[in-house]
Amino acid sequence: VNRIKDIALKANVSVGTVDRVIHNRAGVSESTRERVNKIIEESNFVINPVASSLASKKEYRIAALTPTSIKSEFWKLPNEGIKKCIDEYKTHGFRLQEFNFDKFSSVSYVDAFNEILKWKPSAVIIAPIFFNESLKLTRELEDKMIPYVFINTEIKNVNNLSFIGQNSFDGGNLAGKMMSLMTRENSEIAIIHFHKIKDNHKAIERRIEGFTNYFETYNSSCNLSIHKIDANNAFKELAVQLDGFLKKNPNTKSIFVPSSNAGKIAAVFKKRKISQLNIIGFDTTSENISFLKSGDIDLLIGQQPYKQGYDGVKILVDFLINKQIPKKRYYSSIDIIVKENVEYIDV
Amino acid sequence: VNRIKDIALKANVSVGTVDRVIHNRAGVSESTRERVNKIIEESNFVINPVASSLASKKEYRIAALTPTSIKSEFWKLPNEGIKKCIDEYKTHGFRLQEFNFDKFSSVSYVDAFNEILKWKPSAVIIAPIFFNESLKLTRELEDKMIPYVFINTEIKNVNNLSFIGQNSFDGGNLAGKMMSLMTRENSEIAIIHFHKIKDNHKAIERRIEGFTNYFETYNSSCNLSIHKIDANNAFKELAVQLDGFLKKNPNTKSIFVPSSNAGKIAAVFKKRKISQLNIIGFDTTSENISFLKSGDIDLLIGQQPYKQGYDGVKILVDFLINKQIPKKRYYSSIDIIVKENVEYIDV
DNA sequence: CTGAAAGCGCTTACAG
DNA sequence: CTGAAAGCGCTTACAG
């Protein structure tokens, strides 16, 4: 047996005092604090978190700042992961408030952030899609001593507690490897980049760098070219652009889409009955998955977005309850997803 | 507020009675049982598991029957996953006893199983490597009403609570796809099968079927052949066999190893300075990983063995604590692992 | 600075 | 068949 009571007995103090020492609360003389701490260590005492949560009326208010899944289906899974983890720890006093923004509008991001500050959270989990805005707003969290973690997108040189997401360069590099396996020598490979969509710009640039790097490193005979598509992802607009692209680049054999929009492109090609192109894209949106299954997309790189949300909250839980200091960065896995294993992937 | 107390108040009974109803204990008249149940439903009451575990002195004794990691490194990860999950639920009364056996000895399996029966577990998690022995022994668990789950290896038509593991056929099929991407047309592809190692025989057969199926389905021009190697995996014995194999099959371009022994084979070829062969194998043993990194193995199919152990125990936890009925089968993901993403894989 | 007591939401004998 | 009371290992006012 090793309860607070046992420690108290050994130290000749009351359980209240032991509790104060354990939680570093004020009002204990230095001498007894030391004595109690020594006994705690010697006895290898660890607090019973179950009893602790039950007795404590503490509430942990977690705010989540993520894009709404309505405008961007990708975000459904991280949001679900966040909710699931909070749900598992609700008996420990965890409450979630979601603050969703439109990932195409930095204004909505700033608005949501300000709502969070008003709500006075204990900690926040953020998808910091907008770089400059985030720099300013995270500083306010720091002033108020509110810990925050980033998921999916990393901003460096700020005091986030942790980051969970993919290494974009290595994601692109892996896509490059898979592309080189799928494409013959001396092929034309096009990288199609929607440059009107500004969110997550850095990650996409890094994916392109990684992709290009693979072909350079292995001295490939393939010819890579970047094509900036001046369209959002509406079918009609996109079709016009892609028709133009194909006319100018009739020898294209393979297409790399460094964003989650591969499905949009596949839809156009399918309509045009063009099926001999190899397409590699990112992320398991339902559209991407369905084109992967039909064979119109050949391969997707996955990043387990559900897990990013779940793990982001879990890091906060462990930090708030057990004072566990997380690593500064946890990399998500870089999954290779093809028709043959898509039924089994982790989300 | 929605506590047992509140239900008791509404039903005009004591909390003790509500407790009896919740847990389906005897000693409640049918009429009050019905009344209380109705109020529980109407109030959407769910028990507080934290308070429940604290008050209850119940112990859940979990026995794990898995191969010792000493003789088979693969099993280190499942065993760690099992331990981790138990550790997370120790404050809920979970205790683990490991019963390890030598995966090359069915006798040690039966012995360990008998030890388990003596230990009187609440539930058991089993890697049922030996088919016939398992049939008989699981029946004894059923007689004693002890629930059990299988991990990694499935035995069908018995009353296991659940199974967590990979679909072997689809694992082999995926390996076939990746092989066909890596190998030129009209190549000789060898399937190397250690037929002296009898454990997990069925899974390996199914992987070979899946692999072969891929090439048949796509009408490949490659020529597949199965080579039964009459050796255990000791380097010297294996080298003799492989030398003979290469002499007889000098045009072999690619090798598929449907077991976790790809590294053993790669070691021989490396020694012989043969480096132009494509090798695809299974599982992320440290040997396999190191040859993957050095380029002597080209690709591995992973099955997240740590997660198999962890999830297997988690299923028992949810079943014993929350009476949650699991699915009969949970398929592990089928991961494609290459040099470029090996740093990021889930274990 | 320290202790005694009540309470968190359950479960478990025990009494009737 | 049912209830009252003690207790699980903590935390939280409150009193001194």
Side-chain angles (χ1 to χ4, degrees), chain A residues 284-315:
Chain A
T284 51
T285 60
S286 57
E287 190 178 35
N288 282 353
I289 291 284
S290 105
F291 282 118
L292 185 74
K293 286 184 182 168
S294 67
D296 299 296
I297 289 178
D298 295 88
L299 189 145
L300 293 167
I301 302 291
Q303 59 176 314
Q304 302 190 193
Y306 177 92
K307 198 164 182 289
Q308 290 178 356
Y310 186 95
D311 290 351
V313 173
K314 188 62 164 47
I315 282 170

PDB file of all heavy atoms in Angstrom, chain A residues 284-315:
ATOM      1  N   THR A 284      -6.393  11.581 -47.542  1.00  0.00           N
ATOM      2  CA  THR A 284      -7.468  10.628 -47.790  1.00  0.00           C
ATOM      3  C   THR A 284      -8.844  11.268 -47.649  1.00  0.00           C
ATOM      4  O   THR A 284      -9.668  10.815 -46.857  1.00  0.00           O
ATOM      5  CB  THR A 284      -7.341   9.470 -46.790  1.00  0.00           C
ATOM      6  OG1 THR A 284      -7.239  10.030 -45.469  1.00  0.00           O
ATOM      7  CG2 THR A 284      -6.117   8.653 -47.068  1.00  0.00           C
ATOM      8  N   THR A 285      -9.093  12.321 -48.391  1.00  0.00           N
ATOM      9  CA  THR A 285     -10.458  12.848 -48.446  1.00  0.00           C
ATOM     10  C   THR A 285     -11.327  11.804 -49.134  1.00  0.00           C
ATOM     11  O   THR A 285     -10.826  10.942 -49.855  1.00  0.00           O
ATOM     12  CB  THR A 285     -10.505  14.143 -49.274  1.00  0.00           C
ATOM     13  OG1 THR A 285     -10.064  13.840 -50.597  1.00  0.00           O
ATOM     14  CG2 THR A 285      -9.610  15.219 -48.682  1.00  0.00           C
ATOM     15  N   SER A 286     -12.620  11.895 -48.932  1.00  0.00           N
ATOM     16  CA  SER A 286     -13.491  10.863 -49.510  1.00  0.00           C
ATOM     17  C   SER A 286     -13.394  10.880 -51.029  1.00  0.00           C
ATOM     18  O   SER A 286     -13.452   9.843 -51.685  1.00  0.00           O
ATOM     19  CB  SER A 286     -14.926  11.055 -49.035  1.00  0.00           C
ATOM     20  OG  SER A 286     -15.376  12.342 -49.366  1.00  0.00           O
ATOM     21  N   GLU A 287     -13.221  12.064 -51.605  1.00  0.00           N
ATOM     22  CA  GLU A 287     -13.083  12.162 -53.062  1.00  0.00           C
ATOM     23  C   GLU A 287     -11.796  11.457 -53.527  1.00  0.00           C
ATOM     24  O   GLU A 287     -11.819  10.663 -54.477  1.00  0.00           O
ATOM     25  CB  GLU A 287     -13.050  13.637 -53.470  1.00  0.00           C
ATOM     26  CG  GLU A 287     -13.158  13.845 -54.963  1.00  0.00           C
ATOM     27  CD  GLU A 287     -13.175  15.335 -55.321  1.00  0.00           C
ATOM     28  OE1 GLU A 287     -12.486  16.121 -54.635  1.00  0.00           O
ATOM     29  OE2 GLU A 287     -13.856  15.691 -56.284  1.00  0.00           O
ATOM     30  N   ASN A 288     -10.715  11.739 -52.850  1.00  0.00           N
ATOM     31  CA  ASN A 288      -9.451  11.094 -53.214  1.00  0.00           C
ATOM     32  C   ASN A 288      -9.549   9.575 -53.109  1.00  0.00           C
ATOM     33  O   ASN A 288      -9.106   8.842 -53.976  1.00  0.00           O
ATOM     34  CB  ASN A 288      -8.317  11.593 -52.311  1.00  0.00           C
ATOM     35  CG  ASN A 288      -7.812  12.968 -52.735  1.00  0.00           C
ATOM     36  OD1 ASN A 288      -8.213  13.488 -53.770  1.00  0.00           O
ATOM     37  ND2 ASN A 288      -6.934  13.553 -51.926  1.00  0.00           N
ATOM     38  N   ILE A 289     -10.142   9.130 -52.003  1.00  0.00           N
ATOM     39  CA  ILE A 289     -10.268   7.693 -51.780  1.00  0.00           C
ATOM     40  C   ILE A 289     -11.088   7.053 -52.883  1.00  0.00           C
ATOM     41  O   ILE A 289     -10.738   5.985 -53.406  1.00  0.00           O
ATOM     42  CB  ILE A 289     -10.964   7.424 -50.419  1.00  0.00           C
ATOM     43  CG1 ILE A 289     -10.064   7.832 -49.267  1.00  0.00           C
ATOM     44  CG2 ILE A 289     -11.366   5.954 -50.303  1.00  0.00           C
ATOM     45  CD1 ILE A 289      -8.951   6.899 -48.960  1.00  0.00           C
ATOM     46  N   SER A 290     -12.160   7.725 -53.285  1.00  0.00           N
ATOM     47  CA  SER A 290     -13.019   7.069 -54.259  1.00  0.00           C
ATOM     48  C   SER A 290     -12.324   6.994 -55.623  1.00  0.00           C
ATOM     49  O   SER A 290     -12.450   6.003 -56.341  1.00  0.00           O
ATOM     50  CB  SER A 290     -14.395   7.737 -54.280  1.00  0.00           C
ATOM     51  OG  SER A 290     -14.548   8.540 -55.406  1.00  0.00           O
ATOM     52  N   PHE A 291     -11.538   8.008 -55.966  1.00  0.00           N
ATOM     53  CA  PHE A 291     -10.778   7.933 -57.219  1.00  0.00           C
ATOM     54  C   PHE A 291      -9.603   6.961 -57.118  1.00  0.00           C
ATOM     55  O   PHE A 291      -9.162   6.406 -58.125  1.00  0.00           O
ATOM     56  CB  PHE A 291     -10.287   9.318 -57.643  1.00  0.00           C
ATOM     57  CG  PHE A 291     -11.363  10.153 -58.284  1.00  0.00           C
ATOM     58  CD1 PHE A 291     -11.772  11.349 -57.711  1.00  0.00           C
ATOM     59  CD2 PHE A 291     -11.983   9.727 -59.450  1.00  0.00           C
ATOM     60  CE1 PHE A 291     -12.783  12.108 -58.292  1.00  0.00           C
ATOM     61  CE2 PHE A 291     -12.990  10.484 -60.042  1.00  0.00           C
ATOM     62  CZ  PHE A 291     -13.396  11.678 -59.457  1.00  0.00           C
ATOM     63  N   LEU A 292      -9.107   6.773 -55.917  1.00  0.00           N
ATOM     64  CA  LEU A 292      -8.051   5.764 -55.736  1.00  0.00           C
ATOM     65  C   LEU A 292      -8.622   4.377 -55.998  1.00  0.00           C
ATOM     66  O   LEU A 292      -8.035   3.550 -56.700  1.00  0.00           O
ATOM     67  CB  LEU A 292      -7.495   5.840 -54.312  1.00  0.00           C
ATOM     68  CG  LEU A 292      -6.292   4.935 -54.005  1.00  0.00           C
ATOM     69  CD1 LEU A 292      -5.028   5.476 -54.660  1.00  0.00           C
ATOM     70  CD2 LEU A 292      -6.064   4.816 -52.495  1.00  0.00           C
ATOM     71  N   LYS A 293      -9.814   4.154 -55.463  1.00  0.00           N
ATOM     72  CA  LYS A 293     -10.444   2.842 -55.638  1.00  0.00           C
ATOM     73  C   LYS A 293     -10.807   2.579 -57.093  1.00  0.00           C
ATOM     74  O   LYS A 293     -10.714   1.449 -57.569  1.00  0.00           O
ATOM     75  CB  LYS A 293     -11.705   2.750 -54.764  1.00  0.00           C
ATOM     76  CG  LYS A 293     -11.387   2.584 -53.287  1.00  0.00           C
ATOM     77  CD  LYS A 293     -12.652   2.411 -52.470  1.00  0.00           C
ATOM     78  CE  LYS A 293     -12.318   2.292 -50.992  1.00  0.00           C
ATOM     79  NZ  LYS A 293     -13.540   2.409 -50.155  1.00  0.00           N
ATOM     80  N   SER A 294     -11.221   3.632 -57.788  1.00  0.00           N
ATOM     81  CA  SER A 294     -11.616   3.434 -59.191  1.00  0.00           C
ATOM     82  C   SER A 294     -10.401   3.377 -60.107  1.00  0.00           C
ATOM     83  O   SER A 294     -10.529   3.132 -61.302  1.00  0.00           O
ATOM     84  CB  SER A 294     -12.544   4.568 -59.622  1.00  0.00           C
ATOM     85  OG  SER A 294     -11.830   5.794 -59.639  1.00  0.00           O
ATOM     86  N   GLY A 295      -9.225   3.633 -59.559  1.00  0.00           N
ATOM     87  CA  GLY A 295      -8.023   3.557 -60.386  1.00  0.00           C
ATOM     88  C   GLY A 295      -7.666   4.866 -61.073  1.00  0.00           C
ATOM     89  O   GLY A 295      -6.701   4.920 -61.839  1.00  0.00           O
ATOM     90  N   ASP A 296      -8.390   5.939 -60.806  1.00  0.00           N
ATOM     91  CA  ASP A 296      -8.086   7.208 -61.459  1.00  0.00           C
ATOM     92  C   ASP A 296      -6.993   7.990 -60.729  1.00  0.00           C
ATOM     93  O   ASP A 296      -6.380   8.888 -61.298  1.00  0.00           O
ATOM     94  CB  ASP A 296      -9.367   8.038 -61.568  1.00  0.00           C
ATOM     95  CG  ASP A 296     -10.408   7.315 -62.408  1.00  0.00           C
ATOM     96  OD1 ASP A 296     -10.150   7.107 -63.599  1.00  0.00           O
ATOM     97  OD2 ASP A 296     -11.451   6.907 -61.852  1.00  0.00           O
ATOM     98  N   ILE A 297      -6.809   7.666 -59.473  1.00  0.00           N
ATOM     99  CA  ILE A 297      -5.619   8.128 -58.747  1.00  0.00           C
ATOM    100  C   ILE A 297      -4.818   6.874 -58.443  1.00  0.00           C
ATOM    101  O   ILE A 297      -5.388   5.833 -58.114  1.00  0.00           O
ATOM    102  CB  ILE A 297      -6.000   8.858 -57.443  1.00  0.00           C
ATOM    103  CG1 ILE A 297      -6.642  10.210 -57.755  1.00  0.00           C
ATOM    104  CG2 ILE A 297      -4.787   9.048 -56.541  1.00  0.00           C
ATOM    105  CD1 ILE A 297      -7.091  10.978 -56.517  1.00  0.00           C
ATOM    106  N   ASP A 298      -3.498   6.954 -58.550  1.00  0.00           N
ATOM    107  CA  ASP A 298      -2.689   5.752 -58.373  1.00  0.00           C
ATOM    108  C   ASP A 298      -2.166   5.577 -56.961  1.00  0.00           C
ATOM    109  O   ASP A 298      -1.976   4.453 -56.490  1.00  0.00           O
ATOM    110  CB  ASP A 298      -1.510   5.776 -59.346  1.00  0.00           C
ATOM    111  CG  ASP A 298      -2.013   5.702 -60.770  1.00  0.00           C
ATOM    112  OD1 ASP A 298      -2.292   6.771 -61.356  1.00  0.00           O
ATOM    113  OD2 ASP A 298      -2.179   4.574 -61.265  1.00  0.00           O
ATOM    114  N   LEU A 299      -1.927   6.707 -56.294  1.00  0.00           N
ATOM    115  CA  LEU A 299      -1.315   6.592 -54.972  1.00  0.00           C
ATOM    116  C   LEU A 299      -1.562   7.877 -54.188  1.00  0.00           C
ATOM    117  O   LEU A 299      -1.579   8.970 -54.755  1.00  0.00           O
ATOM    118  CB  LEU A 299       0.191   6.338 -55.139  1.00  0.00           C
ATOM    119  CG  LEU A 299       1.012   5.971 -53.911  1.00  0.00           C
ATOM    120  CD1 LEU A 299       2.119   4.990 -54.292  1.00  0.00           C
ATOM    121  CD2 LEU A 299       1.623   7.200 -53.258  1.00  0.00           C
ATOM    122  N   LEU A 300      -1.758   7.704 -52.892  1.00  0.00           N
ATOM    123  CA  LEU A 300      -1.915   8.858 -52.007  1.00  0.00           C
ATOM    124  C   LEU A 300      -0.912   8.758 -50.862  1.00  0.00           C
ATOM    125  O   LEU A 300      -0.585   7.656 -50.414  1.00  0.00           O
ATOM    126  CB  LEU A 300      -3.332   8.906 -51.428  1.00  0.00           C
ATOM    127  CG  LEU A 300      -4.471   9.188 -52.417  1.00  0.00           C
ATOM    128  CD1 LEU A 300      -5.825   8.886 -51.775  1.00  0.00           C
ATOM    129  CD2 LEU A 300      -4.421  10.642 -52.899  1.00  0.00           C
ATOM    130  N   ILE A 301      -0.443   9.898 -50.424  1.00  0.00           N
ATOM    131  CA  ILE A 301       0.377   9.938 -49.218  1.00  0.00           C
ATOM    132  C   ILE A 301      -0.532  10.375 -48.074  1.00  0.00           C
ATOM    133  O   ILE A 301      -1.191  11.414 -48.168  1.00  0.00           O
ATOM    134  CB  ILE A 301       1.538  10.943 -49.374  1.00  0.00           C
ATOM    135  CG1 ILE A 301       2.416  10.588 -50.580  1.00  0.00           C
ATOM    136  CG2 ILE A 301       2.353  11.022 -48.087  1.00  0.00           C
ATOM    137  CD1 ILE A 301       3.238   9.337 -50.437  1.00  0.00           C
ATOM    138  N   GLY A 302      -0.586   9.576 -47.028  1.00  0.00           N
ATOM    139  CA  GLY A 302      -1.463   9.880 -45.900  1.00  0.00           C
ATOM    140  C   GLY A 302      -0.695  10.383 -44.691  1.00  0.00           C
ATOM    141  O   GLY A 302       0.503  10.144 -44.574  1.00  0.00           O
ATOM    142  N   GLN A 303      -1.392  11.069 -43.793  1.00  0.00           N
ATOM    143  CA  GLN A 303      -0.715  11.615 -42.608  1.00  0.00           C
ATOM    144  C   GLN A 303      -1.491  11.368 -41.309  1.00  0.00           C
ATOM    145  O   GLN A 303      -1.171  11.941 -40.281  1.00  0.00           O
ATOM    146  CB  GLN A 303      -0.441  13.102 -42.799  1.00  0.00           C
ATOM    147  CG  GLN A 303      -1.682  13.958 -43.038  1.00  0.00           C
ATOM    148  CD  GLN A 303      -1.343  15.440 -43.133  1.00  0.00           C
ATOM    149  OE1 GLN A 303      -0.597  15.966 -42.320  1.00  0.00           O
ATOM    150  NE2 GLN A 303      -1.899  16.117 -44.118  1.00  0.00           N
ATOM    151  N   GLN A 304      -2.513  10.520 -41.362  1.00  0.00           N
ATOM    152  CA  GLN A 304      -3.284  10.180 -40.176  1.00  0.00           C
ATOM    153  C   GLN A 304      -3.841  11.392 -39.425  1.00  0.00           C
ATOM    154  O   GLN A 304      -3.518  11.626 -38.259  1.00  0.00           O
ATOM    155  CB  GLN A 304      -2.443   9.292 -39.247  1.00  0.00           C
ATOM    156  CG  GLN A 304      -1.997   8.034 -39.983  1.00  0.00           C
ATOM    157  CD  GLN A 304      -1.357   6.987 -39.088  1.00  0.00           C
ATOM    158  OE1 GLN A 304      -0.753   6.069 -39.591  1.00  0.00           O
ATOM    159  NE2 GLN A 304      -1.502   7.102 -37.790  1.00  0.00           N
ATOM    160  N   PRO A 305      -4.701  12.122 -40.086  1.00  0.00           N
ATOM    161  CA  PRO A 305      -5.216  13.352 -39.496  1.00  0.00           C
ATOM    162  C   PRO A 305      -6.046  13.150 -38.222  1.00  0.00           C
ATOM    163  O   PRO A 305      -6.001  13.979 -37.319  1.00  0.00           O
ATOM    164  CB  PRO A 305      -6.079  13.960 -40.607  1.00  0.00           C
ATOM    165  CG  PRO A 305      -6.333  12.852 -41.571  1.00  0.00           C
ATOM    166  CD  PRO A 305      -5.177  11.921 -41.461  1.00  0.00           C
ATOM    167  N   TYR A 306      -6.778  12.045 -38.141  1.00  0.00           N
ATOM    168  CA  TYR A 306      -7.539  11.759 -36.915  1.00  0.00           C
ATOM    169  C   TYR A 306      -6.586  11.696 -35.726  1.00  0.00           C
ATOM    170  O   TYR A 306      -6.806  12.282 -34.674  1.00  0.00           O
ATOM    171  CB  TYR A 306      -8.278  10.434 -37.075  1.00  0.00           C
ATOM    172  CG  TYR A 306      -9.055   9.969 -35.856  1.00  0.00           C
ATOM    173  CD1 TYR A 306     -10.383  10.307 -35.696  1.00  0.00           C
ATOM    174  CD2 TYR A 306      -8.443   9.182 -34.884  1.00  0.00           C
ATOM    175  CE1 TYR A 306     -11.097   9.877 -34.586  1.00  0.00           C
ATOM    176  CE2 TYR A 306      -9.142   8.755 -33.766  1.00  0.00           C
ATOM    177  CZ  TYR A 306     -10.473   9.101 -33.619  1.00  0.00           C
ATOM    178  OH  TYR A 306     -11.167   8.672 -32.517  1.00  0.00           O
ATOM    179  N   LYS A 307      -5.511  10.955 -35.936  1.00  0.00           N
ATOM    180  CA  LYS A 307      -4.505  10.788 -34.892  1.00  0.00           C
ATOM    181  C   LYS A 307      -3.853  12.123 -34.511  1.00  0.00           C
ATOM    182  O   LYS A 307      -3.532  12.343 -33.344  1.00  0.00           O
ATOM    183  CB  LYS A 307      -3.448   9.805 -35.389  1.00  0.00           C
ATOM    184  CG  LYS A 307      -2.579   9.200 -34.318  1.00  0.00           C
ATOM    185  CD  LYS A 307      -1.855   7.966 -34.850  1.00  0.00           C
ATOM    186  CE  LYS A 307      -1.021   7.297 -33.787  1.00  0.00           C
ATOM    187  NZ  LYS A 307       0.169   8.069 -33.412  1.00  0.00           N
ATOM    188  N   GLN A 308      -3.691  13.008 -35.499  1.00  0.00           N
ATOM    189  CA  GLN A 308      -3.108  14.309 -35.172  1.00  0.00           C
ATOM    190  C   GLN A 308      -3.985  15.035 -34.166  1.00  0.00           C
ATOM    191  O   GLN A 308      -3.492  15.609 -33.186  1.00  0.00           O
ATOM    192  CB  GLN A 308      -2.951  15.151 -36.441  1.00  0.00           C
ATOM    193  CG  GLN A 308      -1.866  14.616 -37.381  1.00  0.00           C
ATOM    194  CD  GLN A 308      -1.743  15.423 -38.672  1.00  0.00           C
ATOM    195  OE1 GLN A 308      -2.518  16.355 -38.920  1.00  0.00           O
ATOM    196  NE2 GLN A 308      -0.768  15.061 -39.502  1.00  0.00           N
ATOM    197  N   GLY A 309      -5.293  15.007 -34.375  1.00  0.00           N
ATOM    198  CA  GLY A 309      -6.204  15.656 -33.448  1.00  0.00           C
ATOM    199  C   GLY A 309      -6.208  14.970 -32.086  1.00  0.00           C
ATOM    200  O   GLY A 309      -6.088  15.610 -31.048  1.00  0.00           O
ATOM    201  N   TYR A 310      -6.316  13.640 -32.133  1.00  0.00           N
ATOM    202  CA  TYR A 310      -6.362  12.883 -30.885  1.00  0.00           C
ATOM    203  C   TYR A 310      -5.094  13.102 -30.057  1.00  0.00           C
ATOM    204  O   TYR A 310      -5.151  13.428 -28.874  1.00  0.00           O
ATOM    205  CB  TYR A 310      -6.555  11.398 -31.183  1.00  0.00           C
ATOM    206  CG  TYR A 310      -6.751  10.566 -29.941  1.00  0.00           C
ATOM    207  CD1 TYR A 310      -8.022  10.258 -29.491  1.00  0.00           C
ATOM    208  CD2 TYR A 310      -5.661  10.120 -29.201  1.00  0.00           C
ATOM    209  CE1 TYR A 310      -8.215   9.518 -28.340  1.00  0.00           C
ATOM    210  CE2 TYR A 310      -5.828   9.384 -28.041  1.00  0.00           C
ATOM    211  CZ  TYR A 310      -7.112   9.085 -27.615  1.00  0.00           C
ATOM    212  OH  TYR A 310      -7.288   8.364 -26.467  1.00  0.00           O
ATOM    213  N   ASP A 311      -3.959  12.921 -30.709  1.00  0.00           N
ATOM    214  CA  ASP A 311      -2.686  13.037 -29.997  1.00  0.00           C
ATOM    215  C   ASP A 311      -2.428  14.455 -29.493  1.00  0.00           C
ATOM    216  O   ASP A 311      -1.834  14.639 -28.426  1.00  0.00           O
ATOM    217  CB  ASP A 311      -1.530  12.602 -30.898  1.00  0.00           C
ATOM    218  CG  ASP A 311      -1.527  11.101 -31.155  1.00  0.00           C
ATOM    219  OD1 ASP A 311      -2.305  10.384 -30.498  1.00  0.00           O
ATOM    220  OD2 ASP A 311      -0.737  10.643 -32.010  1.00  0.00           O
ATOM    221  N   GLY A 312      -2.884  15.440 -30.257  1.00  0.00           N
ATOM    222  CA  GLY A 312      -2.699  16.819 -29.820  1.00  0.00           C
ATOM    223  C   GLY A 312      -3.393  17.066 -28.489  1.00  0.00           C
ATOM    224  O   GLY A 312      -2.815  17.656 -27.569  1.00  0.00           O
ATOM    225  N   VAL A 313      -4.614  16.581 -28.377  1.00  0.00           N
ATOM    226  CA  VAL A 313      -5.343  16.737 -27.116  1.00  0.00           C
ATOM    227  C   VAL A 313      -4.702  15.888 -26.020  1.00  0.00           C
ATOM    228  O   VAL A 313      -4.535  16.327 -24.888  1.00  0.00           O
ATOM    229  CB  VAL A 313      -6.825  16.350 -27.282  1.00  0.00           C
ATOM    230  CG1 VAL A 313      -7.534  16.357 -25.935  1.00  0.00           C
ATOM    231  CG2 VAL A 313      -7.515  17.315 -28.236  1.00  0.00           C
ATOM    232  N   LYS A 314      -4.283  14.681 -26.373  1.00  0.00           N
ATOM    233  CA  LYS A 314      -3.683  13.794 -25.376  1.00  0.00           C
ATOM    234  C   LYS A 314      -2.452  14.442 -24.741  1.00  0.00           C
ATOM    235  O   LYS A 314      -2.219  14.306 -23.534  1.00  0.00           O
ATOM    236  CB  LYS A 314      -3.309  12.461 -26.028  1.00  0.00           C
ATOM    237  CG  LYS A 314      -2.845  11.384 -25.064  1.00  0.00           C
ATOM    238  CD  LYS A 314      -3.954  11.013 -24.083  1.00  0.00           C
ATOM    239  CE  LYS A 314      -3.714   9.708 -23.339  1.00  0.00           C
ATOM    240  NZ  LYS A 314      -2.396   9.527 -22.764  1.00  0.00           N
ATOM    241  N   ILE A 315      -1.693  15.143 -25.554  1.00  0.00           N
ATOM    242  CA  ILE A 315      -0.515  15.839 -25.034  1.00  0.00           C
ATOM    243  C   ILE A 315      -0.931  16.874 -24.000  1.00  0.00           C
ATOM    244  O   ILE A 315      -0.311  17.000 -22.935  1.00  0.00           O
ATOM    245  CB  ILE A 315       0.259  16.492 -26.197  1.00  0.00           C
ATOM    246  CG1 ILE A 315       1.070  15.422 -26.924  1.00  0.00           C
ATOM    247  CG2 ILE A 315       1.171  17.614 -25.699  1.00  0.00           C
ATOM    248  CD1 ILE A 315       1.675  15.895 -28.218  1.00  0.00           C
TER     249      ILE A 315
END
